[in-house]
Each structure stands twice: as structure tokens, then as C-alpha cells.
Amino acid sequence: MKKFILMTILTLPIITTNIFANDLSFLSTKGNFLGLINTLSPVNQRSQFDFAANIDFTLDLDDNLKGIIQLQSGAGQGSLGFVGPETVLTDINLEYTHQPSQSSITFGSFDLPFGKGVNYLSNNADPSKSPFILNSLTYSALAGPVGTLNTLGIKLHNTFSMFESTLALTNGTGENASNYNQSFLYLLSLGMSSFNDQLFIGGTYTASNDKKDPNESNSFKTNFSGWLLDLNVAILPQVSIKNHIGQLIYDDGNDATQDRITITKSEISYTLNNLFIAGRYSYWRPENNNGNSTGASADIKTPGLSLNPISDTSITRWQVGAGYSINSNTSLRADIVLDDYQHISDVKGVIVGINSQF
């Protein structure tokens, strides 16, 4: 945390002096603080206080051009995966928006737009877009229970009437510029909104062959691909339902192993004035799920909270999220979570925290 504060103090005058020539009207800053206590069982899990922070710099370079820089940090070494204790540069990009068409081009580092759910993820210290602190199993597999998968490249988003599309070409599933495999990830997403945005239907496909990446790479190190179908419904202004179903493939190049994972998620949330409450079900089912630790791709991720996971077991995550807004910038948050494993011990717990935006 000290490194995070020091880097912020050092970065701000460099930006304002060298780029803006003392004209601070180009620069705006905001951030998030999240402090919590989690209690997870069985006894081999860890119960602890944990803290994280994000700071966002937005550079308004023109009416239709802006730059975004995000720094993240935290106490580190926690069981939920917050960044820290070092400070990490996550998003850094330029975004050009064509106002008449609402199309945009993003060039730099950004969250991989795998499905509509990326817009509602917890992102380190910022859970404000979601009624839950922890992400579903699908997105936990991509970037951890409180993270997003950052990737480097270019993204084109287009909105036309009720239709939208997203194209992305990036370095791969790694979150830095190494791209050892010298191949690119590609992604295509198509969606349709109707009834004044009360209904959204969309589909996404992505693929990235990172099989040749060495161990020091932070990519998935596999021939990865996946598809996802989204169905979101706003029944009332206070009630919304978000669902997805899909499949992830971790192809290890071995014909003797099974590589496919079926993923599903369904959640409902209700908001009344300053109070919100939500329930979520997410499911992770490997093609090989007999629990004998053989026959499944060695590249498959293990997204649950267990400290001793195996790759060939199904997981069902049940969550209840609730919160109360003390004021426009601060809310009290709580998650009750159960990771129900098919072949190993379940993990359950309560996470309680406070989130402030500044």
C-alpha cells in the first residue's frame, strides 16, 4: 500500500507538468477503496482482514478522444486475489468515440470483452457495478474471484440502432506485452437490445493459441477458445436477471485428454432505495469430471476457492449478495458464498466489507 501511495504521488505531478503544462482541466481522477473481512471454512481456508485500492486517471484530450490509466494495489497475500502489495498498471489506453454513430476504438490495455458480464465484474477494489463482491465461476476462471482479464491490443465497438458488435485483436490471454507465442487473440461479439434496453441477447466467441508460451509468461499457456451466450432481462426498474451459458476449451494438444468446460450463470437482483439484495448460481462442469485426477487437460483452470483443487471436478457456486448505500460514495457490502465441489471438500464463508468511491 505504501508503494501504491508513493507511485500515485510521483505520477500525478509528472503527468500534469509534462503533458498538460499546468492546465489541470484535461485531467480528472477517481478511485475506489475496499476493506473487508472474510471467513472461509473448512479450517484449511484462511480468515482475514483485507484491503485494496484503485486509482483512475482520465485524460480528456479532445471532445471525442480520451486516455485512461488505472493503477491497482492492496495489502497482498490475501485469499481472494486482490492485487498487492506492489502497485500494478492495469488499464492504459486511448479511446476514440465517433459521436454520431456511438462507435468507439480502444487502443491499449483493456478488459477482454468476453460477454456482456464483463461490464458488471468486480475489479479489485471496485465492486460497484455488481451486487456481489466475488465474481461468478466463469470470470473467476479468467481472472480470479475479484479480477478482470486485461489484454493488450485494439478493440472496435459499434452500436447501430438496437444492435451492437465488438471486435478485438490482442496479444493473447497474457496481461503484459510479451506475447512469446507470437500469435494473437481474436474476439467477436454480437448483441441486440430491445424494449428500451430491458432485454439483451448476445453471443461472443474468442480464441488464442498460447500453447508455446514459456512458464514465465502469465498467459493461459494453452490453445484456448470459448463461446458465451448472454440473456439479460430487466423485469422492472428495480429487478434484473442476468444469465449466460457457454463453453471454454483448454486444448493441451493431447488427444488422450478431455479439454472442454461447460459454464453457466444465473442471477437476480432487487434494488429498493439505498438497499440491494441479489442471488446467483454459477456452474463449472469439466467434460472429464470423475475426480480421479487423470484424463483431463493439464491446462484447465480451477476457479473455486479451495486451496487444494483438482481439475476434473464439477463446481457449483451459490452466492447471496447484499448492500446498503450509506451515501452516494460509500456502501456496506456482504457476500455469503458456497462453493459446492463434486469430489472434494466444499468451501463456504461470509465476506463483509465497506466500499468507498472518491
Side-chain angles (χ1 to χ4, degrees):
M1 185 64 74
K2 292 179 180 178
K3 293 181 181 179
F4 177 76
I5 296 171
L6 177 60
M7 185 172 181
T8 302
I9 294 172
L10 293 175
T11 302
L12 187 57
I14 292 173
I15 293 175
T16 55
T17 301
N18 294 335
I19 298 180
F20 302 111
N22 299 320
D23 184 358
L24 298 181
S25 63
F26 287 92
L27 174 67
S28 60
T29 61
K30 63 178 183 179
N32 277 268
F33 165 85
L34 179 63
L36 54 81
I37 180 172
N38 71 75
T39 57
L40 301 176
S41 63
V43 293
N44 66 323
Q45 301 297 127
R46 289 178 288 176
S47 299
Q48 59 205 188
F49 289 97
D50 206 347
F51 301 90
N54 296 3
I55 290 186
D56 300 295
F57 301 92
T58 301
L59 320 176
D60 294 314
L61 304 174
D62 201 348
D63 290 342
N64 52 7
L65 181 65
K66 66 179 180 180
I68 296 172
I69 299 172
Q70 183 177 89
L71 302 176
Q72 295 183 358
S73 192
Q77 303 302 314
S79 57
L80 300 181
F82 293 108
V83 172
E86 72 283 351
T87 300
V88 175
L89 176 66
T90 54
D91 292 340
I92 176 169
N93 60 63
L94 287 175
E95 181 180 299
Y96 172 82
T97 302
H98 183 250
Q99 298 294 348
S101 65
Q102 292 301 302
S103 298
S104 64
I105 299 176
T106 304
F107 183 67
S109 171
F110 48 83
D111 297 337
L112 184 71
F114 186 62
K116 194 70 168 180
V118 170
N119 298 327
Y120 312 109
L121 294 179
S122 291
N123 185 12
N124 199 53
D126 182 11
S128 61
K129 297 177 182 178
S130 171
F132 305 95
I133 296 173
L134 299 187
N135 293 324
S136 67
L137 289 173
T138 298
Y139 291 106
S140 292
L142 298 180
V146 290
T148 62
L149 178 58
N150 286 94
T151 189
L152 278 68
I154 188 168
K155 176 178 67 172
L156 173 63
H157 182 77
N158 182 63
T159 301
F160 178 74
S161 183
M162 66 176 63
F163 300 98
E164 63 179 65
S165 65
T166 302
L167 293 169
L169 183 68
T170 79
N171 277 350
T173 55
E175 295 189 282
N176 55 36
S178 60
N179 198 21
Y180 290 102
N181 206 69
Q182 300 185 46
S183 62
F184 293 106
L185 175 149
Y186 59 89
L187 179 145
L188 171 63
S189 180
L190 300 172
M192 180 187 73
S193 298
S194 60
F195 305 109
N196 295 321
D197 295 330
Q198 291 180 302
L199 173 67
F200 175 84
I201 301 172
T204 306
Y205 178 79
T206 189
S208 180
N209 188 352
D210 299 321
K211 183 62 184 175
K212 295 181 181 179
D213 283 355
N215 288 333
E216 58 265 28
S217 168
N218 64 356
S219 77
F220 290 176
K221 304 177 189 66
T222 192
N223 187 4
F224 175 77
S225 61
W227 59 267
L228 197 71
L229 298 177
D230 285 292
L231 174 62
N232 296 347
V233 182
I235 301 175
L236 298 169
Q238 301 90 352
V239 181
S240 65
I241 297 174
K242 296 181 175 68
N243 308 280
H244 73 230
I245 185 171
Q247 190 173 80
L248 304 179
I249 301 173
Y250 298 86
D251 183 1
D252 60 0
N254 183 356
D255 292 338
T257 61
Q258 294 176 301
D259 312 313
R260 299 173 185 272
I261 309 290
T262 299
I263 48 177
T264 59
K265 182 212 72 171
S266 184
E267 68 178 66
I268 183 170
S269 60
Y270 175 73
T271 303
L272 178 63
N273 299 324
N274 294 336
L275 178 69
F276 62 84
I277 187 167
R280 174 196 281 161
Y281 157 91
S282 57
Y283 186 54
W284 175 269
R285 186 182 186 278
E287 187 177 11
N288 181 310
N289 58 87
N290 56 19
N292 64 5
S293 298
T294 61
S297 168
D299 299 335
I300 290 175
K301 302 300 179 183
T302 51
L305 294 171
S306 174
L307 293 178
N308 302 294
I310 58 175
S311 60
D312 57 345
T313 183
S314 296
I315 312 170
T316 304
R317 173 170 291 178
W318 301 94
Q319 288 174 262
V320 175
Y324 179 79
S325 298
I326 301 172
N327 54 47
S328 59
N329 298 316
T330 303
S331 61
L332 300 176
R333 309 287 299 257
D335 265 21
I336 301 172
V337 59
L338 168 63
D339 278 2
D340 183 0
Y341 288 85
Q342 181 184 9
H343 295 294
I344 61 175
S345 298
D346 298 342
V347 178
K348 57 187 175 182
V350 178
I351 305 167
V352 179
I354 184 169
N355 176 228
S356 291
Q357 302 174 58
F358 54 88

